């Protein structure tokens, strides 16, 4: 129901208000989660919290990026050859300033395009 075209503005609003965490719920609606993925193992999250909130925050950020890319692949966002590989993301984190800017632009690109694809009605076939 929430994947209909008329709710695409809700997804944009939720994405802005939650800082991308709403993409995790959208990923659940589109069934992009892997049952054997690293994020399903509870002890990773416990270890992340035991070492402090920074590792847990980094794990959550990586999960958001991973689910966002899977959502974009499912919604047929152009550029899958680039954003589905881990190398642009790693280079964006490692290289100061220019890489960080490219990282932010790539993340903004994905969030904007999956909203556009929902607006075009690509999510309706997964209802």
């Amino acid at each position: 129901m929430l994947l209909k075209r008329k709710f695409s503005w809700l997804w944009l609003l939720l994405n802005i208000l939650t800082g991308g965490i709403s993409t995790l719920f959208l990923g659940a609606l589109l069934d992009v989660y892997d049952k054997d993925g690293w994020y399903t193992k509870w002890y990773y999250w416990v270890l992340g919290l035991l070492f402090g909130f920074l590792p847990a925050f980094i794990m959550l950020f990586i999960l958001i990026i991973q689910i966002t890319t899977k959502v974009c692949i499912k919604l047929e966002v152009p550029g899958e050859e680039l954003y589905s590989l881990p190398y642009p993301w790693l280079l964006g984190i490692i290289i100061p300033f220019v890489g960080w800017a490219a990282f932010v632009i790539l993340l903004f690109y994905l969030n904007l395009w999956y909203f556009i694809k929902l607006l075009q009605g690509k999510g309706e076939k997964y209802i």
Side-chain angles (χ1 to χ4, degrees), residues 103-118:
F103 184 84
V104 170
I105 290 169
L106 186 58
L107 197 57
F108 182 73
Y109 170 83
L110 291 180
N111 284 311
L112 181 66
W113 265 99
Y114 87 68
F115 164 71
I116 291 171
K117 290 297 182 176
L118 285 173

Side-chain angles (χ1 to χ4, degrees), residues 45-110:
W45 294 101
V46 170
L47 281 174
L49 287 172
L50 285 177
F51 286 116
F53 285 105
L54 183 63
F57 179 73
I58 291 170
M59 289 169 55
L60 180 64
F61 190 64
I62 290 171
L63 176 64
I64 289 171
I65 291 172
Q66 186 175 4
I67 297 304
T68 302
T69 56
K70 287 183 178 185
V71 163
C72 289
I73 289 170
K74 194 108 176 199
L75 293 176
E76 302 167 5
V77 171
E80 177 184 347
E81 304 82 23
L82 178 67
Y83 64 78
S84 64
L85 296 173
Y87 308 115
W89 297 102
L90 289 173
L91 286 174
I93 292 173
I94 294 171
I95 300 172
F97 305 114
V98 174
W100 299 337
F103 184 84
V104 170
I105 290 169
L106 186 58
L107 197 57
F108 182 73
Y109 170 83
L110 291 180

Side-chain angles (χ1 to χ4, degrees), residues 4-25:
K4 289 189 177 188
R5 182 180 298 179
K6 65 181 178 179
F7 292 113
S8 60
W9 293 102
L10 174 70
W11 287 110
L12 177 66
L13 182 65
L14 282 174
N15 197 9
I16 291 170
L17 292 178
T18 63
I21 295 178
S22 64
T23 309
L24 299 175
F25 181 63

Side-chain angles (χ1 to χ4, degrees), residues 33-42 44-45 66 70:
Y33 287 97
D34 182 18
K35 296 192 186 325
D36 297 323
W38 65 269
Y39 43 81
T40 60
K41 296 175 178 51
W42 62 270
Y44 287 155
W45 294 101
Q66 186 175 4
K70 287 183 178 185

